[in-house]
Amino acid sequence: MLNSSLSIFFCPQQKLISKIRDGGEGVTKKCDTAITPHRRVERHSAARAEDKAILAVAYTGLNPAAIQRQIQALTAELLTLTTAKSGPTPSTSRHGRSYAHPRPRQRSKTRAHLA
């Protein structure tokens, strides 16, 4: 949720307008100016006024620096959790029972194997 708020409200993105193939030369792409998805919705004529109002209220309560600090803190916490904890060893479980498989049986030599 934090990352999507950051990208929707504060990270401008370019939209592809057209692609023109130049024979064997390649493809020429035309993009519009970079703008945030939030501003695109504000400027779009098909967006409802209620939706625009909801976005405006959500935007006023956001602080991009605080969101970035929260993301970094959660990432650091996740890193410490993954590096500090090691799972159970393959030979034992939480309850001290062995998960190790018994040795596979060796096949007895039959006539089919000897032939």
Side-chain angles (χ1 to χ4, degrees):
M1 181 67 185
L2 292 175
N3 200 21
S4 64
S5 295
L6 193 65
S7 64
I8 289 172
F9 290 103
F10 301 107
C11 295
Q13 302 169 4
Q14 287 184 320
K15 297 291 264 183
L16 183 65
I17 296 173
S18 65
K19 284 186 191 180
I20 301 170
R21 186 168 302 279
D22 299 333
E25 305 276 324
V27 176
T28 303
K29 298 179 182 179
K30 285 192 175 188
C31 298
D32 65 352
T33 57
I35 191 169
T36 63
H38 167 243
R39 297 291 179 205
R40 276 187 207 284
V41 171
E42 279 185 346
R43 295 177 183 177
H44 201 280
S45 60
R48 297 183 315 178
E50 301 91 42
D51 294 335
K52 291 179 181 181
I54 291 169
L55 283 173
V57 168
Y59 179 73
T60 57
L62 294 176
N63 180 351
I67 292 172
Q68 188 64 37
R69 284 191 297 270
Q70 286 177 324
I71 290 172
Q72 288 175 348
L74 289 171
T75 304
E77 183 180 345
L78 182 62
L79 181 65
T80 57
L81 285 173
T82 56
T83 56
K85 290 186 177 180
S86 61
T89 59
S91 60
T92 60
S93 71
R94 296 184 297 187
H95 306 292
R97 295 186 199 134
S98 177
Y99 279 134
H101 297 286
R103 277 194 273 166
R105 289 182 154 188
Q106 291 183 354
R107 288 195 229 178
S108 62
K109 294 181 180 178
T110 61
R111 291 183 190 207
H113 287 51
L114 295 175

